Structure formats: C-alpha cells, structure tokens
Amino acid sequence: MLTTRTTRCKLCLEPDRVGVLRRPGAWSRNPPWLNLDGEKNTCGDVQRAPCSALKKMAGFPGLFPASVLPALLLWVSMWGSPASGFSVMGPAQPIKVPLGADATLPCQLSPEQSAAHMQIRWYRAQLSPAVLVYQNGQEQDEEQMLEYRGRTELAEDSIGRGAVALLIQHVRASDDGQYWCHFNDGHISQEAAVELHVIGLGSAPHVRMMGPEDNGIQVLCSSGGWFPKPRVQWRDMAGGKLLSLYESQSQDGDGLFHVESSLVVKDSSLGNVTCSIQNPVSGQEKASAIFLPGKLEEDLEQRKALYNKDWKKALIYPDWRKEQFEHVPVSVNHENVHQNNSDFTKETQAVLCNKQGGGNLLKLDQKGFTKGRYYWEVDLEDTDEWTLGIYDEPTEKSELPNNLREMKFNVLEKKGCEYRALTCSCQGISKEESLLIEKCPQKIVIFLDYEDSNISFYNMIDGTHVFSFNQAHISGSVYPYFKLKSMEFSPSA
C-alpha cells in the first residue's frame, strides 16, 4: 500500500484540490504544505510544471476524477521522491494477527538507505503520544503511550537498510486499526500507513432449548471471546438460513464480544438446527447443532406436565413458572431517582435505614403483599452497582423510628464484579452468602411466594436460576425493592 506524504512543495498542489490525499486528523500538527519550522515551502522552477499538470487534472475545483486517483497518488509519490530523497512503503494488504499473538508491522525506506540518523516514529491518531519513538540511536520512552510500554520494539538490526518493522507483543483488541510509520530527516518527513487487523476466535457456541414460545420452542445460542463483532447465522439440516427472534452483542472490559441469538422453531420436522458464529475478518467460524425431537409439540407437553407436577423443585423454565404466579405491574418511583448517586453517611441506625428504604426505585400500585404468589421483572442493563429484592415491614404501623428498625430486606447485591445475597435489617446482616455469577444479568425476574416464604431470582436472558431465599420468614406487608446502590451499614449496626 503506497500511502505516503511529504512536507516539500505542497503549496503548489493547493490544499482544497489535494484534500483527497488527506487522512482525517492528519493535519492536526503543521499542515503538509508547511515545513517542520512552520515556514511555507515554495516550488522551484523544476517542480512548477508538475504542479501545473496536477491542477489541470483536477477536473473542477475540490475534486479529482475517481478514475484518475490511483495513478495520481502513485505519480505524486514518485514525483516527490527525488526532491525529498526518499519515500516510505508499507504493506499493500492489512496485517492479520490472532488475538494474543505477536504482530510485526513492516515499513521500508525507498530507495534502500540507512535510517539510523533519522527520527522514526510509529503512531496512531496523532504524532504524540506515540506507539514508539526512535531517535539518536535508541528508543525514547517519554512520548510513548502507556498501553504500549513493555510491549513494543523496533527491529533495529535492519535499520541500516531502512527497514523499521514495529513488533507488538501479545496483541489486544485495542491494538486493532491503523498505524503510521513516520520518518523525519531534518526538514523532510515522509510516512506510510499500515493496517493491523486483530482476529479473536471465541468459544464454540452453546446451544440449548429454553421452553415454549409463540407456538414453538425457543432455542438460545451464546458465545464469547470474539473480535471484531462476529456474524451469527442459524441454519437447518439442509443448510437453509433461519431468521432469528432476537440478537444481542456486548463487549467486556477487554473489548471482546459476547453474542446471544434466539430462534423460535415451529416446524418439528427440522430434525436439528445449527448456530454458526463467524469472524468477519478471517472468515473462520465455529458452529454447534442441537437435536430437536421429531414430535416437538408432544415432547413439550410431556415435559411441561412433569414440570407442573413439581414446579416448586424445578429451577428451570421461568416462562413456565410465570403461569403459577400473578404478574405485578411496577413503575419507576421518580421521587427517588435523584437519590441514586447519593453516598451513604455513617449516621444513626434509624436515619440510615430511612435512606435504605427511601431510595427504592420501584413503585407498587397497591398497599403491599400479605398473601399469594407474584412476579415482576427489572431491567438492569450494564449497571455497575445495584440492590434488588424485597423488603417487609409490620402491618401495624408504629412510631417511625421503631417501624424502620423492624424493616427487613431479602436482596441480591452487585458491587463491581462481586455478588452476594443478604438478609438484613437496621440491626445489621443476619445472613450473607457470596455468589459466583460469571455473566452479569441484564434482566432479572423475581418470584415471591408469600405462603412458602420463598423469593427466587432468574436471569431472563438465558432462563437460568440465580438464587433463592428459602424459608425467608416473611411477615407483614411485602414490597418490591430496587436501588442503584449497594447496602451499607454503620459499624455500630
């Protein structure tokens, strides 16, 4: 790929007519028609004829004909070389490297000559800070980007012939993109672009049946560790494409993609379906199939009948579990939204508990639950900190401080990457259990069985059981609870 630039004699080309040669943000430093000292370069007699020829090729102000551009770029580079003494060449195709491997980005002076006396700079969006800077015979650390320290080096054994390959160790998703190889020799500078494509192959798809959906059965496919964003495709036994019900993709802290795709199968004669996930850069893919019973509807009915017989012991099929419970509409308590980000202070127990209860973001359109079975859903998305569950208080109201002191919470709590289940009150924590949850739930459904004193939490994205408070000793009036903070207590609590 011969994408080069020179700082000599660019005034003749006129900035508005050579705009097609620019890279976005590349002129944030001195414009290319100025030299490094900020003085305008002027054309000598020898170079006026080519400048005039370029103007004639412009077609009309501001644009070159598309058919002329490739030849024009090559011609400008070759014409600039005698004046500048060298040009820079990068690879014609992107460099493709697997995630975690080492990458080598080649860059070469033409004609071949020593670059030991030059300043060599590898950079990305801007000249400084840079990926790597080489000057006075050694690498310079002062301007290096933090994320590349200890992971990059220059192939110095070839610098005598103008080859300055950049070596990047253990490439990450964030290393993906364009790099510039920049040479500076006094008042002359030239550079070329090199494209790095990082390829992350994720895990084999996990495919499973979720339960009945829209007169069929829902099948879910999930996989993580992909880069860049992968493509997902469902196929039948004959290779025919099937339309997904929904698809979601999210990135983790390392920039890798996790994908989930759902399919509703209504035709029991399909036999099996395959979920295929493909890397768009390398074309590599991973696929998994799931066998569907020949008599799909009959099989579903049999499984559902067995589930309904003993649904209280089965920690699966939350969609089926909903049939045993009454749906409760809850709404956002706008009066407390402004309290979301307020910090707790170490105050008296009564005032502290008042803040715990007062920050509830869920509003129930009734006085509270005193019997029966109910469920409600809460969208959590990528919230970093939350508390979710129920609280109960005595049915008979007493004086405020005593009433608050008797409030009891059964909640799940997320704080960063840590999860725990808590039974607590103003007097402190009576039960605490750390939970191992690999993937942060984006949407949770809560089932409350008042008579059985059971509170169960399910991840509604994949239908998995998260946690249950069994024999929670519920009494009084029960209310849904949700807050964008974790539970905090004073030391004396």
Side-chain angles (χ1 to χ4, degrees), residues 132-384:
L132 183 144
V133 178
Y134 179 93
Q135 191 172 12
N136 300 325
Q138 61 183 2
E139 296 179 16
Q140 307 293 323
D141 297 334
E142 294 80 4
E143 294 183 72
Q144 190 173 35
M145 300 165 70
L146 291 176
E147 58 264 40
Y148 288 101
R149 290 188 180 178
R151 292 200 302 128
T152 60
E153 60 180 289
L154 203 66
E156 296 184 30
D157 57 339
S158 305
I159 199 170
R161 50 184 179 83
V164 290
L166 173 69
L167 278 63
I168 306 177
Q169 298 177 347
H170 309 298
V171 295
R172 311 165 179 170
S174 58
D175 295 331
D176 184 85
Q178 192 175 65
Y179 293 74
W180 288 86
C181 173
H182 180 96
F183 290 81
N184 179 263
D185 187 8
H187 291 294
I188 303 170
S189 64
Q190 291 269 25
E191 58 186 14
V194 182
E195 192 78 16
L196 173 62
H197 287 176
V198 178
I199 299 171
L201 288 181
S203 59
H206 178 43
V207 187
R208 58 195 182 278
M209 286 188 289
M210 301 300 297
E213 179 75 28
D214 192 20
N215 297 321
I217 186 168
Q218 183 181 9
V219 184
L220 184 70
C221 172
S222 60
S223 177
W226 293 87
F227 190 85
K229 185 177 179 179
R231 291 192 286 256
V232 184
Q233 182 63 64
W234 291 93
R235 289 186 173 86
D236 57 24
M237 290 182 65
K241 295 181 179 180
L242 302 172
L243 294 178
S244 62
L245 175 65
Y246 81 90
E247 181 180 319
S248 66
Q249 302 217 18
S250 59
Q251 282 181 281
D252 61 20
D254 295 323
L256 304 182
F257 285 89
H258 178 91
V259 60
E260 286 188 346
S261 181
S262 177
L263 175 74
V264 174
V265 181
K266 298 181 180 180
D267 185 357
S268 59
S269 64
L270 286 179
N272 61 37
V273 293
T274 299
C275 176
S276 171
I277 304 181
Q278 183 185 64
N279 187 293
V281 175
S282 67
Q284 297 167 286
E285 69 176 25
K286 292 187 177 182
S288 296
I290 185 171
F291 175 76
L292 300 175
K295 297 181 180 180
L296 188 59
E297 293 181 6
E298 181 181 337
D299 179 75
L300 279 175
E301 289 302 322
Q302 291 177 353
R303 293 169 68 182
K304 191 169 183 179
L306 291 173
Y307 173 84
N308 288 334
K309 269 188 175 181
D310 205 3
W311 63 268
K312 290 184 179 181
K313 293 183 179 180
L315 299 177
I316 54 176
Y317 305 132
D319 285 331
W320 293 359
R321 192 180 186 88
K322 288 178 181 179
E323 296 180 9
Q324 312 291 336
F325 289 73
E326 178 183 344
H327 179 255
V328 177
V330 293
S331 56
V332 176
N333 188 350
H334 293 284
E335 295 177 0
N336 289 323
V337 170
H338 69 281
Q339 300 181 21
N340 292 351
N341 297 320
S342 61
D343 292 328
F344 286 113
T345 55
K346 305 302 181 183
E347 303 177 19
T348 63
Q349 294 176 0
V351 176
L352 182 60
C353 282
N354 187 26
K355 288 190 175 183
Q356 301 269 37
N360 187 13
L361 294 180
L362 292 182
K363 185 177 181 181
L364 183 64
D365 296 332
Q366 60 187 70
K367 292 183 179 180
F369 308 121
T370 56
K371 62 179 180 179
R373 301 189 189 113
Y374 307 91
Y375 78 90
W376 60 96
E377 299 180 356
V378 180
D379 287 312
L380 302 169
E381 298 181 348
D382 294 321
T383 310
D384 189 58

